[in-house]
Every structure is written in C-alpha cells, then in structure tokens.
Amino acid sequence: MAVTLTVTGEKRGEWTVLQVAGELDLMTSPVLRQRVHDAVADGRHRLVLDLSQVVFCDSSGVGVLVAARRLIRSCRGRLRLILPGHGAPEGTHVNRVLAALGVRRLFDVHPDLGSATDDTSRPLSA
C-alpha cells in the first residue's frame, strides 16, 4: 500500500489554510514542508494547518510542524493548528504524538476551522 499525503490550500480572510490529509511521516513530510515554505515565500505569514484528517504522524512529521512554527515566528507571523478536541474520533493521533513528545504546548491549537481563523477565539488547552 502506498503512503499518501495530500495538502490543499485556501484563503480564509487574512489566513491561509492548508488542509493536510493522510500520513505525515518520513516519506511524505517534505510535501508539507514545501507547501509551508511556498506560502511564506508568497508573503502569507498567517497560516493554519488543518491536521484533522492526518491519521498518522511520526517524528519527522512533528519536525516539520516545529520547523513551520520557527519559520512563521521568524517572519513575525502566526501559525495555528486544527486538531479536534478530546474524544474526537478523527485526528486524535497527532494530538497524542505532540503531547507525548512534549511539544503540543508550543502550538496554538484550535478544534475547528472557524475557531482557527477567528482572531477573537482562544486556543484549546493542552
């Protein structure tokens, strides 16, 4: 079975949203890394990564997320992640991996697209 990852993008107000679906691992993480770099190169420094459809994430995927955070911060931009809340049947894998590695607290995490693109919303607690 082939490892797959799709990354699609859209504008939502001031935010660029990248919807990520599939497996985020050593083989596929360069795809997400490139899309983030392309967005920043295009001057889009307010980025939402919708990870609600990511079914697997290994340390290389986490590395891409941490690198994206560093890149966006260096541009004085903002990065938000969409991870469904506790008990959600989809997307909980990434939440668990980030928490297990002790890096979830580094990210501005939201439960859905509306919350992530609303500048008045509060992130989910770790």
Side-chain angles (χ1 to χ4, degrees), residues 18 32-41 47 49 68 71-72:
L18 297 179
L32 180 57
R33 181 185 315 266
Q34 187 61 52
R35 292 294 301 270
V36 169
H37 280 269
D38 291 346
V40 170
L47 188 64
L49 298 180
L71 176 63
I72 294 291

Side-chain angles (χ1 to χ4, degrees), residues 4 29 42 54 57 89 94 101 104 111:
T4 60
S29 59
D42 288 343
V54 173
C57 180
V94 178
L101 294 174
R104 187 182 184 283

Side-chain angles (χ1 to χ4, degrees), residues 5-9 17-21 28 31-33 35-36 49:
L5 180 79
T6 59
V7 181
T8 57
V17 180
L18 297 179
Q19 291 97 2
V20 185
T28 62
V31 173
L32 180 57
R33 181 185 315 266
R35 292 294 301 270
V36 169
L49 298 180

Side-chain angles (χ1 to χ4, degrees), residues 47-66:
L47 188 64
V48 173
L49 298 180
D50 182 350
L51 305 175
S52 60
Q53 298 300 313
V54 173
V55 295
F56 177 80
C57 180
D58 69 6
S59 60
S60 59
V62 172
V64 168
L65 298 177
V66 171

